[in-house]
Amino acid sequence: GHLHIEGLKMSKSLKNFITIRQALEMHTARQLRLMFLMQAWDKGMNYSDQAIDMAKAEERRMKHFLGSLEFWQRRGGRTPGGEEKLMEAIESSKDKIHKAILDNFATPKVVEAISKLVLEAKATMDSPTDSLEPVLKAAHLIESTMSMLGVEGLRITREPKEAWTEAVDTVADLRQQVR
C-alpha cells in the first residue's frame, strides 16, 4: 500500500511529503505506531489529523486504565466476585487477537479487541465490590499484546513514587467523595 497524507498519495511533487523525523517532532513514536497499527498493513495508509487523533485517544484510554489500576491496587480491600464476565471477555479477546494475527496480521482487529477489553476491565475495576484479580489479568494481556506490537511505555512511572502517590491518592479520594 501507499502512505496517504490527508487522503492524497504522499509525493514530493504534490508537496505533501513528510519524513519520519518530522512526524516524530509532532507526535510520539507510540502514537505513530498506534496510528499505523489501526490501519491494515496491506492497504493504503492515511496519515491525517483524524487518524492521529484516534491513535491518541486509544493511547489515552489504555494509559488511563493502567494508571487507575495502579491506584486501585494501592487501595486494596477488594473481595472476590464478579469475575466471570471479565474472565470470559479476556478469553474472547485472546481468541480474537490470535485469529487476527493469523488473518494476514490484521492489527486493526487486534487494537479493536484490546480497546473493548480495556472498557470491560475498567467497568469491573470501577465496581467497588469486584475483585481486581481478573482486571490484573486483563492488564497483563493488554500490555503484553501491545508490547508484542511495539507499543510500550503505557504505564506512567515517576520516581520517587512515594513523593507523588500520597498527593494523587488524596485528590482521587476527594474526587470519589464528590461523586
Side-chain angles (χ1 to χ4, degrees):
H2 298 284
L3 180 62
H4 291 80
I5 308 286
E6 300 290 341
L8 296 172
K9 183 180 169 191
M10 183 172 80
S11 78
K12 286 184 181 181
S13 63
L14 292 175
K15 304 212 185 319
N16 68 346
F17 186 81
I18 186 168
T19 66
I20 293 172
R21 185 168 283 121
Q22 289 169 324
L24 287 170
E25 288 173 4
M26 297 181 283
H27 313 290
T28 67
R30 183 174 44 248
Q31 291 165 348
L32 291 172
R33 283 188 188 108
L34 269 169
M35 181 191 69
F36 288 123
L37 287 170
M38 294 170 73
Q39 301 179 55
W41 69 270
D42 60 344
K43 307 252 186 310
M45 291 192 177
N46 192 31
Y47 177 86
S48 66
D49 291 340
Q50 181 184 9
I52 202 74
D53 287 347
M54 290 171 59
K56 286 179 179 180
E58 285 299 328
E59 176 191 40
R60 193 171 27 255
R61 186 177 296 120
M62 286 184 234
K63 287 172 80 172
H64 179 71
F65 164 69
L66 294 169
S68 296
L69 177 57
E70 229 175 86
F71 167 77
W72 286 114
Q73 281 181 286
R74 285 194 305 273
R75 289 297 197 223
R78 295 287 187 100
T79 56
E83 302 174 3
E84 300 80 22
K85 185 178 176 187
L86 183 55
M87 291 305 293
E88 288 173 14
I90 292 169
E91 290 306 314
S92 173
S93 295
K94 281 182 187 177
D95 186 51
K96 288 176 185 175
I97 291 165
H98 181 74
K99 286 179 180 175
I101 295 297
L102 294 178
D103 179 24
N104 198 20
F105 205 67
T107 57
K109 291 180 183 177
V110 173
V111 174
E112 180 183 344
I114 291 294
S115 185
K116 287 180 181 177
L117 182 58
V118 167
L119 293 175
E120 292 188 41
K122 185 162 178 11
T124 300
M125 179 176 62
D126 289 344
S127 172
T129 58
D130 290 347
S131 169
L132 286 180
E133 195 59 39
V135 179
L136 291 168
K137 289 179 182 177
H140 176 73
L141 177 61
I142 291 162
E143 286 184 293
S144 64
T145 301
M146 296 312 292
S147 179
M148 172 191 69
L149 296 173
V151 179
E152 296 180 329
L154 290 168
R155 282 194 191 247
I156 300 169
T157 54
R158 293 184 179 92
E159 297 297 332
K161 199 171 195 172
E162 299 78 31
W164 59 269
T165 54
E166 185 178 340
V168 168
D169 290 350
T170 302
V171 170
D173 284 340
L174 179 61
R175 182 179 173 204
Q176 287 295 101
Q177 289 173 4
V178 170
R179 287 184 173 177

